[in-house]
Amino acid sequence: MSETFGSLWDYFSVANIVEAFFMLFIMFAILACPFLLTAANIIFFIIPPKKHWSKGLWISTSIATIFFGTLDFWFYAGYYDISITDWYEPVFPFEVHTPVSTEHMLTILVFAFIGMVGYLIMLLPVKKTPPLLFVIGISFMYFGVIVAIMWAIQTSTVEKDPMHIPFFAVFSLNMILLAANITRIKIEQYNQARKEGLLLKSKFVGLEKLLEKGERMPLYAFLLFLPLLALAIGALMLCGQDYDSFIKAWTETSDWVLSTKQSPPPLEYEGHYLCTVAAGGHRSVVKPQRDGRRHGARITVNRQLCIANAFEQVLEERTPNIHRAVRSFYDKYGYPVSKYIRTKLSADIVYIIMKPLEWVFLIVLYLADTRPERRIAVQYLPEKDKKDLLDFIDKNAEIC
């Protein structure tokens, strides 16, 4: 009996509980942070930071926006099962094609990189930086802004998912807010430093005259953006891109807003139920134990799946009427929900959500079965292997 309670106690170990809470915290951070940071960036856009503490908070928010924005970008890409597959290749029914054509992706990546360089230029201190460099920085950021706008438009809806929530638009909005905030803040700092006579003096008197007012910088940056755009397109053409690759990158796709191509029929796929699908998550999370057989098909088996199936067996043996009602409810709602479990990440989330139920199932098993671990161990085994394992357990274990 002590071995039974020892096994149960090991299962509810501190490490397992801490791991479950840690995964829940990560989920909260990924889902909540984008909206909290967006609210903060909107506030900074409406009320620019003036005091020392508010400037520090603005800098911290900007860093967090870039960090969590990048993290969430990959999270949502995995959640929506975006495949880096062009429109002319088939994907599974639950997948969507790439929103940016891989043939023209280099243009988008270069534009985004130029935009990031522009943002880094704008971080330079006003008093030690020539004003023309800020004009160049704003002009560079225009490259990133147009990429963010196009990305938000492209990912605002998905053809295969009418319930799609445009999380990607939140990421794009924050990138635009960062560019707008830093531009306005730098213009205010420039005007203030100019009044105090703290700016670097330029040898070009005409340039000094043009940049008398910082508010003109975005206009001059736009005029500079046009030749820079032509220069960037010319350089990209030398790398094999087309002169209109920026447009083709969005239109030569399928499943998205700006897509103009029709993809071929999807590949065949058969979904499974919640615990079965959850067993296919990341190994470090769901801890798969072995292969099993379900309706003649090979599946990945972990302890959660075995416990759930063992619980159903007990329910069927002891209370068949309740089992039929539960089974009917699960068949009606479990399978449709399982079709939305499309990635390892979503399988991890289901695994964590099912944890409390798993503990309930395990408690019921230990209360209703004299040898619960014996029942759990043989789930999803072929009949011959199940018989051999049961014989081995009966011969070699006093309590299992």
Side-chain angles (χ1 to χ4, degrees):
M1 184 64 68
S2 61
E3 293 182 14
T4 301
F5 284 107
S7 176
L8 183 60
W9 175 252
D10 290 340
Y11 189 73
F12 289 102
S13 65
V14 175
N16 285 340
I17 295 173
V18 170
E19 181 181 0
F21 276 107
F22 176 75
M23 291 301 298
L24 289 172
F25 171 77
I26 292 297
M27 289 168 55
F28 171 79
I30 291 175
L31 295 174
C33 278
F35 299 99
L36 296 175
L37 292 171
T38 301
N41 286 321
I42 291 174
I43 292 172
F44 283 128
F45 180 74
I46 298 172
I47 309 173
K50 300 289 185 181
K51 298 182 180 180
H52 182 73
W53 67 268
S54 61
K55 291 179 181 178
L57 183 60
W58 166 67
I59 293 172
S60 300
T61 301
S62 300
I63 295 172
T65 299
I66 294 173
F67 174 78
F68 284 106
T70 305
L71 182 68
D72 293 339
F73 176 89
W74 293 111
F75 170 81
Y76 293 135
Y79 178 79
Y80 289 122
D81 234 341
I82 296 177
S83 174
I84 308 300
T85 305
D86 282 313
W87 65 271
Y88 47 80
E89 296 181 13
V91 295
F92 289 110
F94 52 79
E95 291 181 322
V96 292
H97 291 82
T98 173
V100 180
S101 169
T102 61
E103 296 177 11
H104 306 283
M105 192 175 291
L106 177 62
T107 296
I108 306 303
L109 293 176
V110 169
F111 278 30
F113 176 77
I114 294 174
M116 184 57 66
V117 171
Y119 187 81
L120 294 176
I121 291 173
M122 297 299 289
L123 293 176
L124 297 173
V126 170
K127 299 175 183 178
K128 299 181 180 180
T129 307
L132 181 59
L133 193 57
F134 285 121
V135 175
I136 294 174
I138 297 172
S139 186
F140 278 10
M141 284 197 300
Y142 286 155
F143 283 87
V145 167
I146 62 172
V147 170
I149 293 172
M150 295 296 290
W151 178 263
I153 295 172
Q154 177 77 319
T155 59
S156 59
T157 58
V158 183
E159 182 180 324
K160 296 183 179 181
D161 187 2
M163 301 299 291
H164 167 73
I165 301 174
F167 286 114
F168 284 121
V170 177
F171 177 74
S172 297
L173 173 63
N174 276 279
M175 295 301 102
I176 296 170
L177 285 172
L178 286 183
N181 284 341
I182 198 169
T183 299
R184 184 167 66 170
I185 290 170
K186 288 299 179 180
I187 287 174
E188 291 179 357
Q189 292 178 356
Y190 174 82
N191 288 336
Q192 184 64 31
R194 187 174 186 81
K195 289 179 181 178
E196 297 173 2
L198 300 176
L199 293 176
L200 288 177
K201 296 296 181 180
S202 173
K203 295 181 180 179
F204 303 98
V205 180
L207 181 61
E208 289 283 338
K209 191 72 173 176
L210 284 173
L211 296 175
E212 260 185 352
K213 295 182 178 180
E215 292 81 358
R216 296 176 182 174
M217 283 186 177
L219 174 60
Y220 299 148
F222 179 74
L223 296 176
L224 180 61
F225 168 74
L226 298 177
L228 287 176
L229 177 62
L231 184 63
I233 291 174
L236 286 165
M237 288 178 67
L238 294 177
C239 297
Q241 297 287 283
D242 296 334
Y243 71 92
D244 57 349
S245 280
F246 184 80
I247 302 300
K248 289 181 178 179
W250 311 103
T251 58
E252 292 189 356
T253 57
S254 63
D255 305 333
W256 302 93
V257 172
L258 301 174
S259 301
T260 60
K261 304 296 183 179
Q262 182 66 43
S263 58
L267 300 170
E268 293 185 4
Y269 173 80
E270 181 180 356
H272 298 291
Y273 281 69
L274 297 181
C275 288
T276 313
V277 178
H282 291 95
R283 296 181 65 87
S284 60
V285 178
V286 303
K287 299 178 178 61
Q289 295 178 332
R290 55 177 171 82
D291 287 343
R293 306 296 294 183
R294 181 178 182 271
H295 302 314
R298 187 189 69 81
I299 61 171
T300 300
V301 174
N302 65 351
R303 183 170 173 81
Q304 184 180 81
L305 178 58
C306 290
I307 290 173
N309 210 58
F311 169 78
E312 185 180 357
Q313 278 187 354
V314 170
L315 202 64
E316 186 176 15
E317 293 170 2
R318 306 292 177 86
T319 56
N321 292 332
I322 295 177
H323 171 261
R324 279 194 295 271
V326 171
R327 187 72 237 183
S328 176
F329 178 85
Y330 190 54
D331 287 341
K332 184 176 181 180
Y333 296 103
Y335 179 68
V337 172
S338 73
K339 292 191 290 184
Y340 289 93
I341 307 172
R342 305 168 176 174
T343 65
K344 287 183 178 293
L345 183 59
S346 56
D348 294 343
I349 294 172
V350 171
Y351 173 82
I352 295 170
I353 292 174
M354 295 291 289
K355 265 292 177 184
L357 275 178
E358 176 189 341
W359 294 335
V360 172
F361 295 162
L362 191 65
I363 291 170
V364 171
L365 284 170
Y366 270 79
L367 291 173
D369 197 323
T370 57
R371 307 178 74 180
E373 293 297 331
R374 179 177 183 271
R375 183 188 292 269
I376 293 170
V378 298
Q379 298 300 314
Y380 295 105
L381 284 176
E383 287 303 319
K384 182 180 182 304
D385 294 341
K386 185 182 296 186
K387 184 178 183 303
D388 292 342
L389 180 59
L390 289 175
D391 290 342
F392 176 81
I393 291 174
D394 292 339
K395 289 179 182 178
N396 295 279
E398 295 179 359
I399 298 177
C400 185

